[in-house]
Amino acid sequence: MNMLSKFWNDEAGFVVSSELVLIGTILVLGVVVGLATVRDQVVQELGDLALAISNINQSYSFSGVTGHTSSVAGSIFDDNLDFCDSNTDVATDEPACIDVQITAIAGE
């Protein structure tokens, strides 16, 4: 019975364990929020990269060349706009065809 009363009255580890639970909870919440922010920023940067790649001018042309014994006809390629492209794309725009935000529905 003496040993049971010693265990009952012993509070040496209580403060340390409750502090560790509190610190662990705060760290886990911070990591979750941080990872969500990293995810959103990675998606944003990948969208910006896609926007930059879509604005590369891919058209080319060369005129005909005539030599002493041969000739080559000219060729041309014109890069038309894709379904996600627009003529007003600037660096501060949201990424083309990527929507990261979800609008709130009233009443929910």
Side-chain angles (χ1 to χ4, degrees):
M1 193 60 138
N2 190 13
M3 183 182 279
L4 184 61
S5 64
K6 282 183 182 179
F7 282 136
W8 185 260
N9 293 327
D10 184 24
E11 295 181 4
F14 176 73
V15 175
V16 174
S17 64
S18 63
E19 288 174 353
L20 288 177
V21 168
L22 181 62
I23 290 171
T25 303
I26 292 171
L27 286 175
V28 167
L29 291 175
V31 166
V32 168
V33 170
L35 287 177
T37 304
V38 168
R39 177 204 60 206
D40 292 342
Q41 293 305 314
V42 166
V43 168
Q44 182 76 25
E45 287 300 319
L46 289 174
D48 290 342
L49 177 65
L51 185 65
I53 290 173
S54 71
N55 284 331
I56 293 174
N57 186 358
Q58 298 175 359
S59 62
Y60 68 92
S61 66
F62 61 92
S63 60
V65 178
T66 303
H68 293 290
T69 59
S70 64
S71 65
V72 175
S75 178
I76 188 166
F77 170 75
D78 188 21
D79 186 22
N80 295 325
L81 293 177
D82 295 332
F83 69 96
C84 288
D85 295 340
S86 69
N87 289 329
T88 60
D89 289 337
V90 293
T92 57
D93 286 348
E94 289 291 320
C97 299
I98 296 178
D99 188 16
V100 178
Q101 300 175 356
I102 300 173
T103 57
I105 300 172
E108 288 187 13

